[in-house]
Amino acid sequence: MGVPNQFHAPLAVQALAAGKHVLLEKPMGINSEAARQILHAAETSDRVVMVAHQMRWESIAMQIKEQIERGELGKIYSAKTGWFRRKGIPGWGTWFTQMDQSGGGPLIDIGVHMLDLALYLMGNPKPVSVYGSTYAEFGPNRKGIGTWGTPDWDGTYDVEDLATALIKMEDGSTLSLEVSWAVHMDTDNSPFIHVMGSEGGASYRGSEGKLLTEKFDRPIESVLSKPDNDEGERARLSRHFLACIREGKQPITSVLSGFTNNLVLDAIYESSRTGNEVKLDWNLKQ
Amino acid sequence: MGVPNQFHAPLAVQALAAGKHVLLEKPMGINSEAARQILHAAETSDRVVMVAHQMRWESIAMQIKEQIERGELGKIYSAKTGWFRRKGIPGWGTWFTQMDQSGGGPLIDIGVHMLDLALYLMGNPKPVSVYGSTYAEFGPNRKGIGTWGTPDWDGTYDVEDLATALIKMEDGSTLSLEVSWAVHMDTDNSPFIHVMGSEGGASYRGSEGKLLTEKFDRPIESVLSKPDNDEGERARLSRHFLACIREGKQPITSVLSGFTNNLVLDAIYESSRTGNEVKLDWNLKQ
Amino acid sequence: MGVPNQFHAPLAVQALAAGKHVLLEKPMGINSEAARQILHAAETSDRVVMVAHQMRWESIAMQIKEQIERGELGKIYSAKTGWFRRKGIPGWGTWFTQMDQSGGGPLIDIGVHMLDLALYLMGNPKPVSVYGSTYAEFGPNRKGIGTWGTPDWDGTYDVEDLATALIKMEDGSTLSLEVSWAVHMDTDNSPFIHVMGSEGGASYRGSEGKLLTEKFDRPIESVLSKPDNDEGERARLSRHFLACIREGKQPITSVLSGFTNNLVLDAIYESSRTGNEVKLDWNLKQ
Amino acid sequence: MGVPNQFHAPLAVQALAAGKHVLLEKPMGINSEAARQILHAAETSDRVVMVAHQMRWESIAMQIKEQIERGELGKIYSAKTGWFRRKGIPGWGTWFTQMDQSGGGPLIDIGVHMLDLALYLMGNPKPVSVYGSTYAEFGPNRKGIGTWGTPDWDGTYDVEDLATALIKMEDGSTLSLEVSWAVHMDTDNSPFIHVMGSEGGASYRGSEGKLLTEKFDRPIESVLSKPDNDEGERARLSRHFLACIREGKQPITSVLSGFTNNLVLDAIYESSRTGNEVKLDWNLKQ
Amino acid sequence: MGVPNQFHAPLAVQALAAGKHVLLEKPMGINSEAARQILHAAETSDRVVMVAHQMRWESIAMQIKEQIERGELGKIYSAKTGWFRRKGIPGWGTWFTQMDQSGGGPLIDIGVHMLDLALYLMGNPKPVSVYGSTYAEFGPNRKGIGTWGTPDWDGTYDVEDLATALIKMEDGSTLSLEVSWAVHMDTDNSPFIHVMGSEGGASYRGSEGKLLTEKFDRPIESVLSKPDNDEGERARLSRHFLACIREGKQPITSVLSGFTNNLVLDAIYESSRTGNEVKLDWNLKQ
Amino acid sequence: MGVPNQFHAPLAVQALAAGKHVLLEKPMGINSEAARQILHAAETSDRVVMVAHQMRWESIAMQIKEQIERGELGKIYSAKTGWFRRKGIPGWGTWFTQMDQSGGGPLIDIGVHMLDLALYLMGNPKPVSVYGSTYAEFGPNRKGIGTWGTPDWDGTYDVEDLATALIKMEDGSTLSLEVSWAVHMDTDNSPFIHVMGSEGGASYRGSEGKLLTEKFDRPIESVLSKPDNDEGERARLSRHFLACIREGKQPITSVLSGFTNNLVLDAIYESSRTGNEVKLDWNLKQ
C-alpha cells in the first residue's frame, strides 16, 4: 500500500537532512505546499531526489519520447491523457479514500502519473492556467468499489472519484486530463495518452502505442509494442537513479517536475471548488 | 454544400417577416450576435423556427434520451463529446474554410452537432463558463485535406482545424468538447458522446450505443443498435417540424437552444484568443 | 489415470473402517448401489467423506453461486449443462472404455462433473424423473480417439460415446445434460452450463462466465473472469476438506450429493436401455 | 400477423371443400386434433395441401439435406435443435400470447419450425415418445417483451415462454428441442440445428452452416454459406407448391408431416403438465 | 460466357476491316500468333483497339498506380501476383476447359488479368525471359469443380489447373505469377499483387489495398479502400475507350500490351512443356 | 551469433579427422564447394554428420510429414515456401551481412531453412534446374535494419536482401522459394510453406498449420497446432542425433541433403548474376 501521501514531504526532508539520496513514490507531495518543502530541502542539499514516475520508463513511452526528441512529430501543440477506471475504488478505510492522508482521489493517485508523462512527452512546457471539475458520485454512496478486495463499509470516503481538466501552457499548447476511479462509462480501464504534433502524433493505450503521420497524401501509422525481452520500467528507473547518484546529475523526474505536478493538481481541485479558472502561482519561495 | 453560415440569420429573419415557418440548418447563426437576431425575430412572430439538428433524431440518441428522461441514469453530472477527423478538411476554396463565411472550422461545422446533442442529453443545463483552445496546424500548411475531392490549393484557410474545450453548467455539471478536421491522432473518425450519471451512463460512437450501470456488484452493459427498419433521422425530424406547425408548439431544437450553441462556440473562440476563461453573458437583449 | 471407478466404494468403505477421512475422486461410486454402500458406511462413522468435485471450486462457478445465493437470479427453474468433445475418446485399453471398470463412458467420466455442478448451482433440488439416450457410434468402430496418446487398437470399448438426457426435479425445474467423448458436431470442446432464473441467468463456458438480466428494459450482462492471482480450485477444495475435518462439518460435496449423482446417471443408462422414462427410487436403504 | 392458429383447420377444410389447393402457414393445426381434421379432409380430396415450412427451402438446409441423402453423414442417430430468443415476446394483446387463439407460445410459434426441419433432416423417423417441460416466468410478469413494438400492457398472456424436450424415435434416434421467447441466457438469438451421424455431422446456425467429419485422423469441416445470388426460400417453396399441383404429387411438407409436428407439440405440453413421459398415439382416425 | 478466345483475333480483324473501333475482352488473342494478327491489323488502321483489362480501372489499383507514377515507391524491382482459386474449375464442357477454344486454363483465364496489371504497375518493363510450370491434377480427374453450376461430367478437360512462373524483365526486375482454378491450398480465393519498390511498396488483395514504407525508422502503412460512391471499373474503362476514340489516342491497354501478355503466356506454357527457360522473341513481324 | 558460415566446412572436416561426431548448424557449407568437402570427409568416416535443420522437428511440420508419408496428400507436384521479413536486416558489421563470411544474405540465412523443409516434405525430389533473382535495395542504403540492436552504420553490406526463385525437380514438381530480410511488403514476418498434392495439401505459417482436401464435394480443412506439452524441436533433434550415433544410422538431415541445399542456393545466386536458368551439376566428385 505504500506510505500515505501526507508523509512524503516530512520523510523526504528528514532523509535529506540525514544525508540520504531520496527516491520518492508519486505524488511528490500531498499538495504543492508540501512539494515546495521538498524543493527547498533539495536546493540546499547535494543529494539526489527523484520521483519514481515509472511510466516515463515504459518501453513504448520511451520509443515515443525518442521520436519527439528527434523532431519527427514537429511542434507538439495539444495532448490528451487520462485513465478511466469504471469500477476501481480502493476499499474504503484505506488511506487512499481519506483526504487528510491522500490529498485526493484518482486525480492524485493515477492522474499524477498521466500528468507527469504528458508534460514530459510535450517537452516540459510551463503550465500557466488550469480549469477543471471533480465529482464524487460513487464513493460516498458505497458504490464503484473494485470487485476484489475486502471493503471496509464504514470507512471514510471524502475524495473525488472523477476529475476532468484542461491545462494551458506558456507556449500556447493545451493538455486535457481526465481520470476516474469509478464512472458509468464505456472504458477499457487503460491509461491513455495522445500527443498531437504539427508533423506527426503518438498514441499510447494500455500496452500498445502508435506513431501517426501523413505519407502518400494519406494517414499512415506504425504500431509500437514492447520488445519481448523487455527488462521492465522499474529496472530502467532504478538504473537511472543510480546513474544520477554516481554522476551527480539531476534525474529527469526532478523535484521541479514533482512540484509542477502538485501545483497543477492543487489548481484543478481549486478550480472545481470555486468554479473558476486558476492562474498558476510559480513563486517557488513561500 | 448548403448556404454559407453568414446568410443563416438574414435569410431566417426575412423568411419570418414574410410569414414563413423556418427550418434552419446548423449552426443557427454564424455567431451569437446573428443568433440573437433570429431569436428576436422569432419572439415577435407566431411562426415556427426550428434548427435541423438531426442527431437528436437518430435512433440510438433517442433510446439514450428515453432512458435519461425515465431517470434510469440518475443525475447527469459529466459528459464528454467530440468528433476527431484525422484527415478531413474540406477542399480549400469552399466557404467552409473561410472565416467570414463560415464563422469557424470544425468547431462550428461538426462541433455544434455534438454540443447540441450533449446539452440535450444532459437535460438542457445552462452553460455559465467556458475555457478552451483552438489550433490550425494543418489547413494553413495545405495538409490534412480529405483524400477525395478537388482541392483549391490557392484557396483561403483562416479557421481552426482542432478545438478543445471544457464547459461548466449552472447545475455544477461539466461538458468536455473536442473536435478536429485534421489531427495526427489514433481516431476512428466517428462522432462520440459519453453521458455520465449517478445511476448509469450512456456511450454513443458511430452507429453503436451502450447503456452502462452496476448490477450483481459488477459493471454491466447493454448494446444499443438501430432497428433494421429505421426510417431515419431526417424523416423523424421532418415529422416533428410539421407537428410543431400543426399544433403550434415549440420544437425541441428551439431558437433558444440554437442561441445557446452559438453563445458557447463564441466563448470557446474567445477563450482561445485571450487565454482566459469566458463567463457567458446570458443577456438575451442587445 | 487414477483408480478405476469400480474400486471407489470398496476402498472408501475400508478407509472409513480404518478410521480415515476420505477424499474421493468422482464419480463417488461406479453406480448407485456402490454409492449407497459408501453412504451407509459414512452414516455410522464420524469421519469426513468428501467427493472431489473441483468444478464447484472454480472461481467463476463460485462467483455465480454467490449471486444465486444472494437471490440475484430469482427462482432457478431451468438449466442446461454439458460437455461435447468432438474427438476425445481415451485410448482403448485404458479402464475408461471398459464398462466393468468404469461403469460407463463420457456420462460417468465428464458428465458427472456437469451434473454435480448444475445441481449445486440450482440449489440442490431433488431429481425425481429421468429420460435419456446414449449412443456408441465411434468407439466400437475405432474412431474418435484423441489425437495424442498411444491407442491400443485391440482394446475393449463397450461404453457409450454420446449421451443426452432431461432430468425433472421435485420443485418443477428441469435440467438438460449432454456429453460426448466423440461426435461429429461443431463444438469448442469446452464444458458449459446455463442457469436460468426468473430474475437473471448465468452462463459458464470454458474459462469465461456471464451474468445476465434485464435493465433499461433491455438485455444486459456482465462478463466474469478468473482473477489474475487465482490460487486454483484444487487449493480451495483442499482447504475445504481440511476445514470440514477440523470443524467436524459436512462438506458441500457430501456423500448424499455423490449418491444423487450416481442415482441420476444410473437412471439415464436405464432410460436409454428401456426407451422409457425412469422415476428415481430415493429409498436410501437397500 | 397472419391468421391466428385456431382458424387454420376450419379454413383449410372449407377451402378443400371448395376445391381449392391449400398452402398453409405453420403450424398446420392449433393442435393435433385440428391437424387430424385437415388430414382427413385431404385424404378425400385430390387437391394439394402443403404446409409452408420455408426453412426446408433455405439454401444451407438444402445443402445439408443433399449430403445426408447421399449418405455422406452415415446413419443419423441424434440431433439437437432450438431457438433461444432472449427477449422477444410478441406484444401482449396479439393473438400470439393467448392460448385459445395460438395453442401455445414459442414452442408452437418457432419450435414447430425447428421440429419440422430436424425431422426432415433426420430422414423422417417416426417419433414414439416425448418428455418435456415448459415455463412462463416472463410473460405473466410483463417482462421479456421485444424492444420494438407497442405492447398492450393489459393483454392476456397464458402461454409458455420457454420449452425444452427430448423426443425418441422408432429407429432409436433422439431429438432435443429447446425454444424460448424470453430467457436470461447467453444466446445469439439464432435458430440452430445439429445433426449427428455415424460418418459425419452438420451444424446450422443463423445464416451459416458446417459439414463435419474426420479425415487425416483429425476433425475436419467445411463451411456452408448461401450463394450470393440466392433466390430465397419462399421462391423455391412456391415453385414446389406449383410443381405439386401441376404434377399431382405430394409436397415434401405433406399433411402427414404437419400432423406429426402437432402430435409431438401436444405431447410436450402434456408431459409438462403431468410431469410424465408421453407415448405418442399414432391412431390417425378418431 | 463471352466469345471463346479462339475467335478474338478473327473477329477483331474483321471488325477493323469493316472500319469499327474494337473493344476486346481479355486475352487479346488465344496465343501470341493470334495477337500478332490483331497487332498487324491495328497498325494499318486508324481505329481504336483496346483490351478490356478492367482491373487497371479498379479504384485501388488506380490509387496505387498514382503513387508509383509520382515516384513515391521509388524504383520497382520486384513484384508478385496471382490468384489461387481452391475449387473453382468452370463446369467441364464449357469452352473454358478445352484447349482448342480457350488456349489454356487459369493462366490465360485469370492469370492474364494479373500479368497485365502487374506489368502496368511495374511501369511496363519489357519481359525478356520466362520460366514456369503448369499442372493438371484436378480437372482430368473430375475434381475441383466450383460448387455452383451444372457440370458436364463427360466434357473435355485438356488445360492446366495450376501454373507458376517467374518472369525477368529487361530492366532487371522480376515478376512472380501464380494462378489456379483448383488447388489444395490455404487461400482466400482473392486476386493479389505486391509491388516492391526501393522507397515503398503496395499490396492489393481482394477489395483492400495497402501502401507501405518506412518512417520513424519503423514499418508504416496506409490502408486503401474503395470510395463509397465508386462508379466502378467498367464505367471508367468505357469512358477511357470513348475518350480514345474522340481524341484519337492510344488506350493504356493497347494492342502492344495485349501482345505482350500473350507472348509471356505462350512462353510459360512452352517452359512447362520443355522444362527449360524461354527467352522471349520480340520480333513483332512474322 | 554462432560461427560464421565460412568456417563450417573447415571445422567439420577437422572434427571428423579427430574422430568426432558432428552436428552442424545450417547452412552446411558457405557454398556447394565447401559442402562437397564435408561430403567427401564424411564418406570416408564412420562418424555421424548431421545438419541441425530444426524446422523438420517442429511439431506441425512433423504432423504434416506424417500425413504425406501415409499418402494422404497423394502425389506432391508443387510447393511454395518463403519467409518475408519486412525490416529485419541484422545490424551491419556482423558477419551476416558480409559475403566472404556468410556466403549471402537472407537466402542462405533463412532461405536454407525453408528450402530444406520444403524438399523434405516434398519427399526429397532431385532438383535439376533453378531460375531466380536477388536484390539489395535496403542494406547498401542503410535501411531495413531491425528496430532492436545496435547497428554499425559503417559496416559492410554486400549481400542480397530479397531473393525469389523457382526450382524444377526431376520428377516434374516445382518449388517456389522467396525470402527477404527487408522489403516494402505486407507480410506477417512468418515463415510459410504450402505443399500441394493430388489428394490434399498442407499449409504451415508461423505456429499454425492446416491440412486441406475435398470432402462432401467441398473444400475442407483441419487446423494443426502444437500440443500444449510440446517438448520442442531442439529436444527432438538432439534425440535423433544421439539415436543416429547409437544405432549407426544416417540422420534425416544427412550430408547429402546439406549438399543439395548448397547446390540449389549457389544456382540461385548464379541465375541472378547471369540472368539465365542454371542446370544443376550433380557430379558429387570434384
Side-chain angles (χ1 to χ4, degrees), chain A residues 75-77 122 124-126 128 168-174:
Chain A
K75 180 178 66 172
I76 308 299
Y77 61 96
M122 293 173 84
N124 299 312
K126 185 175 181 177
V128 292
K168 296 192 181 186
M169 312 295 166
E170 199 171 40
D171 67 1
S173 59
T174 306

Side-chain angles (χ1 to χ4, degrees), chain C residues 105-124:
Chain C
L107 192 57
I108 203 166
D109 176 29
I110 54 181
V112 71
H113 271 310
M114 307 319 296
L115 173 63
D116 179 78
L117 182 59
L119 290 174
Y120 176 59
L121 292 180
M122 293 174 83
N124 299 313

Side-chain angles (χ1 to χ4, degrees), chain C residues 14 26 89 132 163 171 179 201 222 230 257 272:
Chain C
Q14 286 172 35
K26 54 83 208 170
I89 295 182
D171 67 1
V179 291
S222 177
D230 186 25
S257 74
S272 181

Side-chain angles (χ1 to χ4, degrees), chain A residues 72-286:
Chain A
E72 296 280 347
L73 307 193
K75 180 178 66 172
I76 308 299
Y77 61 96
S78 190
K80 272 171 67 67
T81 191
W83 195 337
F84 287 109
R85 286 188 178 152
R86 184 157 165 198
K87 183 165 171 29
I89 295 182
W92 301 276
T94 72
W95 60 262
F96 283 98
T97 64
Q98 304 183 41
M99 180 60 89
D100 54 359
Q101 293 183 56
S102 63
L107 192 57
I108 204 167
D109 176 28
I110 55 180
V112 72
H113 272 309
M114 307 320 295
L115 173 62
D116 179 79
L117 182 59
L119 291 173
Y120 177 60
L121 292 181
M122 293 173 84
N124 299 312
K126 185 175 181 177
V128 292
S129 149
V130 168
Y131 184 85
S133 301
T134 67
Y135 300 93
E137 292 289 340
F138 286 75
N141 300 310
R142 311 287 119 177
K143 292 192 298 184
I145 199 169
T147 310
W148 299 102
T150 319
D152 169 4
W153 298 98
D154 298 322
T156 298
Y157 191 104
D158 58 0
V159 296
E160 86 281 2
D161 44 40
L162 172 76
T164 182
L166 276 186
I167 304 153
K168 296 192 181 186
M169 312 295 166
E170 199 171 40
D171 67 1
S173 59
T174 306
L175 171 65
S176 159
L177 172 65
E178 303 166 306
V179 292
S180 70
W181 273 347
V183 65
H184 290 306
M185 204 177 99
D186 186 28
T187 165
D188 67 359
N189 293 296
S190 297
F192 62 87
I193 184 160
H194 299 275
V195 180
M196 308 168 207
S198 56
E199 304 303 318
S203 290
Y204 178 23
R205 177 178 288 277
S207 56
E208 195 187 77
K210 281 188 188 171
L211 294 169
L212 307 103
T213 189
E214 256 185 73
K215 174 84 183 124
F216 307 124
D217 196 29
R218 284 170 174 78
I220 205 162
E221 63 197 42
S222 177
V223 173
L224 306 176
S225 51
K226 295 192 187 182
D228 287 344
N229 58 345
D230 186 24
E231 61 178 334
E233 56 273 18
R234 296 300 295 199
R236 281 187 288 266
L237 181 155
S238 303
R239 276 215 313 278
H240 181 66
F241 183 54
L242 296 176
C244 289
I245 292 170
R246 226 172 16 239
E247 305 166 23
K249 69 182 183 189
Q250 190 75 329
I252 60 171
T253 46
S254 65
V255 283
L256 185 60
S257 73
F259 172 73
T260 303
N261 294 339
N262 275 124
L263 198 63
V264 170
L265 297 181
D266 278 10
I268 297 173
Y269 287 122
E270 184 183 339
S271 175
S272 181
R273 260 194 322 271
T274 64
N276 299 324
E277 173 191 12
V278 174
K279 301 284 187 185
L280 295 192
D281 174 9
W282 275 94
N283 177 12
L284 297 188
K285 307 289 169 206
Q286 208 147 359

Side-chain angles (χ1 to χ4, degrees), chain E residues 13 24 58 78 147 159 169 172 210 216 253 269:
Chain E
V13 171
L24 270 169
E58 291 192 348
S78 189
T147 309
V159 296
M169 311 295 168
K210 280 188 186 171
F216 307 124
T253 46
Y269 286 122

Side-chain angles (χ1 to χ4, degrees), chain D residues 7 20 29 45-47 52 70 88 107 126 132 156 158 161 199 204 219 226 232 245 255 260 266 273:
Chain D
F7 301 120
K20 307 293 184 191
S45 161
D46 62 350
R47 304 286 87 179
R70 280 206 218 162
L107 192 57
K126 185 175 182 177
T156 299
D158 58 0
D161 43 41
E199 304 303 319
Y204 177 24
K226 293 192 188 183
I245 292 172
V255 285
T260 303
D266 278 11
R273 259 193 322 273

Side-chain angles (χ1 to χ4, degrees), chain B:
Chain B
M1 300 277 284
V3 173
N5 298 338
Q6 71 181 127
F7 301 120
H8 284 199
L11 289 172
V13 170
Q14 286 172 35
L16 282 174
K20 306 295 184 191
H21 297 287
V22 177
L23 180 60
L24 269 169
E25 285 304 319
K26 54 85 209 169
M28 190 163 82
I30 191 172
N31 54 34
S32 62
E33 175 49 33
R36 198 179 278 110
Q37 291 167 18
I38 301 177
L39 194 65
H40 292 170
E43 271 170 6
T44 57
S45 160
D46 63 350
R47 304 285 89 178
V48 170
V49 184
M50 173 168 150
V51 190
H53 277 295
Q54 79 261 18
M55 290 188 78
R56 294 201 194 185
W57 300 97
E58 291 193 349
S59 167
I60 290 168
M62 289 177 71
Q63 295 176 52
I64 292 172
K65 179 69 178 172
E66 185 195 351
Q67 296 299 320
I68 292 170
E69 293 209 325
R70 281 205 217 162
E72 295 281 346
L73 307 193
K75 179 177 66 169
I76 307 301
Y77 61 96
S78 189
K80 271 171 68 65
T81 191
W83 195 336
F84 287 109
R85 286 188 178 152
R86 184 157 165 199
K87 185 165 169 27
I89 294 182
W92 300 278
T94 73
W95 62 260
F96 282 98
T97 64
Q98 304 183 40
M99 180 60 89
D100 53 0
Q101 293 183 56
S102 63
L107 192 57
I108 203 167
D109 176 28
I110 54 180
V112 70
H113 272 309
M114 307 320 295
L115 173 63
D116 179 79
L117 182 59
L119 291 173
Y120 177 60
L121 293 181
M122 293 174 84
N124 300 312
K126 185 175 181 177
V128 293
S129 150
V130 168
Y131 184 85
S133 300
T134 68
Y135 300 94
E137 292 290 339
F138 286 74
N141 300 309
R142 312 286 117 180
K143 293 192 297 182
I145 199 169
T147 309
W148 299 103
T150 320
D152 169 3
W153 296 98
D154 298 322
T156 299
Y157 191 103
D158 58 0
V159 296
E160 86 280 3
D161 45 39
L162 173 75
T164 182
L166 276 187
I167 304 153
K168 296 192 182 186
M169 311 295 166
E170 198 172 41
D171 67 1
S173 59
T174 305
L175 171 64
S176 159
L177 173 65
E178 303 165 306
V179 292
S180 70
W181 272 346
V183 67
H184 290 307
M185 202 177 102
D186 186 29
T187 164
D188 66 359
N189 294 295
S190 297
F192 62 88
I193 186 160
H194 298 275
V195 180
M196 309 166 205
S198 56
E199 304 303 318
S203 291
Y204 177 25
R205 177 179 286 276
S207 56
E208 195 186 77
K210 280 189 187 171
L211 294 169
L212 308 102
T213 189
E214 257 186 70
K215 175 85 183 123
F216 305 125
D217 196 29
R218 283 169 175 81
I220 205 162
E221 63 198 43
S222 177
V223 173
L224 305 176
S225 51
K226 294 192 187 183
D228 287 342
N229 59 346
D230 186 23
E231 59 179 337
E233 56 273 19
R234 295 300 296 198
R236 282 187 288 266
L237 180 155
S238 302
R239 275 215 313 277
H240 181 65
F241 184 52
L242 296 176
C244 288
I245 291 172
R246 229 176 10 241
E247 303 166 25
K249 71 181 182 191
Q250 190 75 330
I252 59 171
T253 47
S254 66
V255 284
L256 186 59
S257 73
F259 172 74
T260 304
N261 294 339
N262 276 122
L263 198 62
V264 170
L265 297 181
D266 278 10
I268 296 173
Y269 286 121
E270 184 184 339
S271 175
S272 181
R273 260 193 323 272
T274 64
N276 299 325
E277 172 191 15
V278 174
K279 300 285 187 185
L280 296 191
D281 174 8
W282 275 94
N283 176 12
L284 297 188
K285 305 292 169 202
Q286 209 143 0

Side-chain angles (χ1 to χ4, degrees), chain E:
Chain E
M1 299 276 285
V3 173
N5 298 339
Q6 70 181 127
F7 300 121
H8 283 198
L11 288 172
V13 171
Q14 286 171 35
L16 282 174
K20 307 294 185 193
H21 298 288
V22 177
L23 180 60
L24 270 169
E25 285 304 320
K26 54 82 209 171
M28 189 164 82
I30 191 172
N31 54 32
S32 61
E33 175 49 35
R36 198 178 278 111
Q37 292 167 16
I38 301 177
L39 192 67
H40 292 169
E43 272 169 6
T44 57
S45 159
D46 62 349
R47 304 286 86 179
V48 171
V49 183
M50 173 169 149
V51 190
H53 277 295
Q54 79 262 18
M55 290 188 77
R56 294 200 194 185
W57 300 98
E58 291 192 348
S59 167
I60 290 167
M62 289 177 71
Q63 295 176 53
I64 292 172
K65 180 67 179 174
E66 185 196 351
Q67 296 299 320
I68 291 170
E69 293 208 325
R70 281 205 217 163
E72 295 280 347
L73 307 193
K75 179 177 66 171
I76 307 300
Y77 60 97
S78 189
K80 271 171 66 68
T81 191
W83 194 336
F84 286 109
R85 286 188 178 152
R86 184 157 165 198
K87 186 166 169 27
I89 294 183
W92 301 278
T94 72
W95 60 262
F96 283 97
T97 64
Q98 305 183 37
M99 180 59 88
D100 53 0
Q101 295 183 54
S102 62
L107 192 57
I108 203 165
D109 176 28
I110 54 181
V112 71
H113 272 309
M114 307 320 294
L115 173 62
D116 179 78
L117 182 59
L119 290 174
Y120 176 61
L121 293 180
M122 293 173 85
N124 299 313
K126 186 174 180 178
V128 291
S129 149
V130 167
Y131 183 85
S133 301
T134 68
Y135 299 93
E137 291 290 339
F138 286 74
N141 300 311
R142 312 287 116 178
K143 293 193 295 186
I145 200 169
T147 309
W148 299 103
T150 320
D152 169 3
W153 298 97
D154 298 322
T156 298
Y157 191 103
D158 57 0
V159 296
E160 86 280 3
D161 44 41
L162 172 75
T164 182
L166 276 186
I167 303 154
K168 295 192 182 186
M169 311 295 168
E170 198 171 39
D171 67 0
S173 60
T174 306
L175 171 65
S176 158
L177 172 66
E178 303 166 306
V179 292
S180 70
W181 273 347
V183 66
H184 291 306
M185 203 177 101
D186 187 28
T187 166
D188 67 359
N189 293 296
S190 297
F192 63 86
I193 185 160
H194 299 275
V195 180
M196 309 165 204
S198 56
E199 304 303 319
S203 290
Y204 177 23
R205 176 179 288 276
S207 56
E208 195 185 76
K210 280 188 186 171
L211 294 169
L212 308 103
T213 188
E214 258 186 69
K215 175 85 183 122
F216 307 124
D217 197 28
R218 282 169 175 79
I220 205 163
E221 63 197 42
S222 176
V223 174
L224 306 176
S225 52
K226 294 192 188 183
D228 287 344
N229 59 346
D230 186 23
E231 58 177 339
E233 56 274 16
R234 295 301 296 200
R236 282 186 289 266
L237 180 156
S238 302
R239 276 215 311 279
H240 180 66
F241 183 53
L242 296 177
C244 288
I245 291 171
R246 226 170 18 237
E247 305 165 25
K249 70 181 184 190
Q250 191 73 332
I252 59 171
T253 46
S254 66
V255 284
L256 185 59
S257 72
F259 172 73
T260 303
N261 294 339
N262 275 124
L263 199 63
V264 170
L265 297 181
D266 278 10
I268 297 174
Y269 286 122
E270 183 184 338
S271 175
S272 181
R273 257 193 325 271
T274 64
N276 299 324
E277 171 191 15
V278 175
K279 301 285 186 184
L280 295 192
D281 174 8
W282 275 95
N283 176 11
L284 297 187
K285 304 294 169 201
Q286 208 146 4

